[in-house]
Amino acid sequence: MAEVTQELGAFLTGVMCLLGAGIMLCLVRAVLGPRYTDRIVALNVVCTLVILMICILSYILGQGYLLDVAILY
């Protein structure tokens, strides 16, 4: 696994913040969604974004077991 430089770490941290904001927006849609299908799709997107965040965190920390967690999730 490649070493995480300071610039790459800052970039990945920014990406994690954007993903967190996306999760918050999807949770708002899941709560306020007018139809149940909106709620289902929003929760599905939240799960996908969480998996992506786990994969990025695994790369930053250099821990391979987190990829197993992402695969199981």
Side-chain angles (χ1 to χ4, degrees), residues 6 19-20 35-36 38-40 42 52-53 64:
Q6 186 175 3
L19 290 173
R35 297 182 306 242
Y36 69 92
D38 293 331
R39 293 183 173 105
I40 292 172
L52 188 56
M53 287 181 78

Side-chain angles (χ1 to χ4, degrees), residues 11-70:
F11 174 73
L12 291 176
T13 303
V15 169
M16 295 268 287
C17 290
L18 289 174
L19 290 173
I23 287 173
M24 294 310 236
L25 291 173
C26 286
L27 287 176
V28 168
R29 172 52 72 191
V31 171
L32 300 177
R35 297 182 306 242
Y36 69 92
T37 54
D38 293 331
R39 293 183 173 105
I40 292 172
V41 170
L43 290 177
N44 191 14
V45 171
V46 166
C47 291
T48 303
L49 292 177
V50 167
I51 291 171
L52 188 56
M53 287 181 78
I54 292 172
C55 291
I56 292 172
L57 188 63
S58 171
Y59 184 78
I60 290 172
L61 297 176
Q63 301 294 324
Y65 72 90
L66 287 174
L67 291 176
D68 295 334
V69 171

